[in-house]
Amino acid sequence: MENNPLPMTADFCFTLPAWVQQLTADTGRRKFLGDEEKMEWVLELGRYNIEDGGGPFAAAVFSLDHGTLVAAGVNRVMASNCSVLHAEICAIMLAQQQLGSYTLAPEPGEESPKGYELVTSTEPCAMCLGAIPWAGIKRLVCGARDADARAIGFDEGDKPERWTEKLEQRSIAVQCDVCRIEATALLKEYLNSNGKIYNG
């Protein structure tokens, strides 16, 4: 049997829809004043993504000291034929590219450590949970719960019990249930629009 290897490329890139870039540009240097304001903006991304035929998940990386947006992401699994392109992964990747650094962690020895937070419409799945400490995120803010995503059929993977405590042991602060009602409604909206449960 002839062995025909698939062509390999050195670079992998993904694109976000133009409307994400437009919404991101429109924020300018806006200061988001609190968790709810940030979450409401992230949920708006999720609504647009559903309308655009994507999954119901959105996320964004914000500066902890200024409250400004660094990068946003939406679920691109189906659009890119790539199972790892969850909203959190997209937001983290774009933030690191934007900042020119493989890590979002504060520089060692800074007198007044800065850092970045990840705001996500739904608690992270097993994959995204693993990416958070490696990315250097200092704070995680979640909307809908893991159980809310599972309730509409998504497989969130095998996560450790008391995962929030495990992140906090790594000095990553966690805030759950921010706008949970609205975030859960977004998941239900996706289900009711016959959105595909691509990993159920």
Side-chain angles (χ1 to χ4, degrees), residues 77-95:
V77 168
M78 293 182 290
S80 298
N81 292 317
C82 184
S83 61
V84 301
L85 288 183
H86 290 197
E88 297 95 327
I89 300 295
C90 292
I92 288 168
M93 290 171 66
L94 292 170

Side-chain angles (χ1 to χ4, degrees), residues 160-179:
E161 291 183 24
R162 300 190 301 277
W163 61 269
T164 58
E165 293 175 25
K166 293 187 182 299
L167 287 183
E168 287 165 352
Q169 288 167 5
R170 289 175 171 265
S171 300
I172 301 169
V174 180
Q175 179 65 54
C176 295
D177 296 336
V178 175
C179 301

Side-chain angles (χ1 to χ4, degrees), residues 127-177:
M127 176 183 69
C128 296
L129 179 62
I132 289 166
W134 305 142
I137 294 293
K138 297 305 295 177
R139 185 169 185 260
L140 173 66
V141 179
C142 309
R145 289 197 179 187
D146 177 285
D148 301 325
R150 291 180 195 272
I152 69 163
F154 279 102
D155 180 356
E156 296 297 279
D158 298 323
K159 291 162 60 173
E161 291 183 24
R162 300 190 301 277
W163 61 269
T164 58
E165 293 175 25
K166 293 187 182 299
L167 287 183
E168 287 165 352
Q169 288 167 5
R170 289 175 171 265
S171 300
I172 301 169
V174 180
Q175 179 65 54
C176 295
D177 296 336

Side-chain angles (χ1 to χ4, degrees), residues 35-185:
D35 290 346
E36 287 191 7
E37 187 174 340
K38 292 170 191 165
M39 184 62 72
E40 286 166 1
W41 191 83
V42 165
L43 293 176
E44 183 180 3
L45 287 178
R47 284 186 200 96
Y48 275 106
N49 206 42
I50 292 172
E51 291 171 10
D52 197 34
F57 305 104
V61 173
F62 293 89
S63 164
L64 275 169
D65 54 343
H66 300 300
T68 50
L69 176 71
V70 178
V74 292
N75 185 283
R76 299 295 287 163
V77 168
M78 293 182 290
S80 298
N81 292 317
C82 184
S83 61
V84 301
L85 288 183
H86 290 197
E88 297 95 327
I89 300 295
C90 292
I92 288 168
M93 290 171 66
L94 292 170
Q96 290 175 339
Q97 292 296 302
Q98 177 76 15
L99 297 168
S101 174
Y102 64 87
T103 181
L104 302 175
E107 289 291 325
E110 277 187 322
E111 286 184 20
S112 176
K114 299 176 179 138
Y116 299 92
E117 64 183 343
L118 178 67
V119 178
T120 180
S121 61
T122 303
E123 290 177 353
C125 69
M127 176 183 69
C128 296
L129 179 62
I132 289 166
W134 305 142
I137 294 293
K138 297 305 295 177
R139 185 169 185 260
L140 173 66
V141 179
C142 309
R145 289 197 179 187
D146 177 285
D148 301 325
R150 291 180 195 272
I152 69 163
F154 279 102
D155 180 356
E156 296 297 279
D158 298 323
K159 291 162 60 173
E161 291 183 24
R162 300 190 301 277
W163 61 269
T164 58
E165 293 175 25
K166 293 187 182 299
L167 287 183
E168 287 165 352
Q169 288 167 5
R170 289 175 171 265
S171 300
I172 301 169
V174 180
Q175 179 65 54
C176 295
D177 296 336
V178 175
C179 301
R180 182 184 178 191
I181 293 172
E182 296 89 339
T184 303

